[in-house]
Amino acid sequence: SQQGEEDPQALSIQEGENATMNCSYKTSINNLQWYRQNSGRGLVHLILIRSNEREKHSGRLRVTLDTSKKSSSLLITASRAADTASYFCATARSDSSYKLIFGSGTRLLVRP
Amino acid sequence: NAGVTQTPKFRVLKTGQSMTLLCAQDMNHEYMYWYRQDPGMGLRLIHYSVGEGTTAKGEVPDGYNVSRLKKQNFLLGLESAAPSQTSVYFCASSPSPGGSEKLFFGSGTQLSVL
């Protein structure tokens, strides 16, 4: 079963707007990671946030983690058409650090 | 520095045929993984390896076998392909356990089983 579930499944915004994607998970984790996948390509790592961190930034990306609610959010500010892709959260469970379990993803469309 | 390389990129099989997917990484990573991705879904872990000569089952291991004879290579085998194995297969590697560091992904193998 999937550990992480993203919401929404699909998101369409205008260029320049902010995009927010959410991820919920079920069990205790060591860390949570966000990946991006362009159509037909492999996944590219965006950001990793550890269980003892609450917020992390990388360029136009901002990730938050709320372990009490078992949820995370990815914010992309000032979106660009090139941000069009699928975004996946992946969790590393506390009891199984070798495995990274992926959610089903959010498909983001940024309209020019 | 090629990173993670998967071969082949595309393959069409008939039901019952066998094949091997090859993953090679040149980053000296200990950990390697095979995932499958079905339309509209996330990645599901098939098998993984924590070092040369080791393999372990993931979420969906049935119908697949793997081998890690050399540190840089991780092979995924389908002994008797079934239509349900039509998918895109991704290999990944990491220097530390996948749960503690990021994964580096290959570009995928699109497999169709007729």
Side-chain angles (χ1 to χ4, degrees):
Chain A
S1 62
Q2 299 289 348
Q3 161 75 321
E5 294 295 334
E6 287 91 338
D7 171 60
Q9 291 186 333
L11 181 61
S12 180
I13 60 173
Q14 202 72 34
E15 201 166 28
E17 294 180 338
N18 296 343
T20 300
M21 289 159 266
N22 302 298
C23 172
S24 61
Y25 57 92
K26 298 175 183 175
T27 63
S28 296
I29 61 172
N30 284 331
N31 68 64
L32 185 144
Q33 304 181 28
W34 285 91
Y35 287 81
R36 165 193 168 127
Q37 183 181 36
N38 288 87
S39 180
R41 306 292 297 274
L43 277 72
V44 175
H45 181 265
L46 295 176
I47 200 163
L48 180 153
I49 186 165
R50 302 193 188 280
S51 59
N52 61 352
E53 298 175 309
R54 292 297 168 258
E55 186 171 312
K56 210 161 182 181
H57 296 256
S58 178
R60 293 184 295 113
L61 305 181
R62 172 178 170 256
V63 168
T64 61
L65 179 64
D66 187 335
T67 53
S68 66
K69 295 182 179 179
K70 292 186 170 58
S71 67
S72 172
S73 67
L74 169 67
L75 169 67
I76 304 174
T77 60
S79 63
R80 306 165 181 168
D83 293 329
T84 294
S86 291
Y87 293 82
F88 296 89
C89 71
T91 52
R93 289 170 46 165
S94 300
D95 60 350
S96 182
S97 62
Y98 298 122
K99 303 177 187 178
L100 204 58
I101 305 299
F102 286 80
S104 53
T106 292
R107 297 186 306 279
L108 174 65
L109 172 64
V110 182
R111 306 187 303 274
Chain B
N1 191 342
V4 180
T5 303
Q6 292 183 231
T7 54
K9 296 191 183 306
F10 303 94
R11 186 72 186 269
V12 178
L13 290 179
K14 294 181 179 179
T15 297
Q17 288 184 320
S18 63
M19 77 162 296
T20 300
L21 306 183
L22 172 63
C23 176
Q25 51 94 5
D26 61 3
M27 298 172 282
N28 201 35
H29 287 171
E30 288 290 340
Y31 301 84
M32 297 187 74
Y33 310 82
W34 276 108
Y35 286 89
R36 63 176 286 174
Q37 184 179 32
D38 299 305
M41 296 183 67
L43 278 69
R44 290 184 291 171
L45 183 64
I46 305 172
H47 285 282
Y48 63 100
S49 169
V50 301
E52 181 179 314
T54 75
T55 63
K57 294 181 180 180
E59 299 174 272
V60 288
D62 294 342
Y64 305 94
N65 56 75
V66 288
S67 63
R68 183 101 182 266
L69 299 180
K70 293 183 179 180
K71 185 177 183 178
Q72 63 268 33
N73 295 337
F74 195 28
L75 279 63
L76 178 71
L78 286 73
E79 291 187 346
S80 180
S84 61
Q85 294 178 305
T86 293
S87 189
V88 181
Y89 291 85
F90 289 98
C91 176
S93 71
S94 64
S96 302
S100 61
E101 294 295 339
K102 67 180 182 180
L103 302 187
F104 295 79
F105 279 87
S107 57
T109 295
Q110 189 165 334
L111 175 66
S112 295
V113 183
L114 306 178

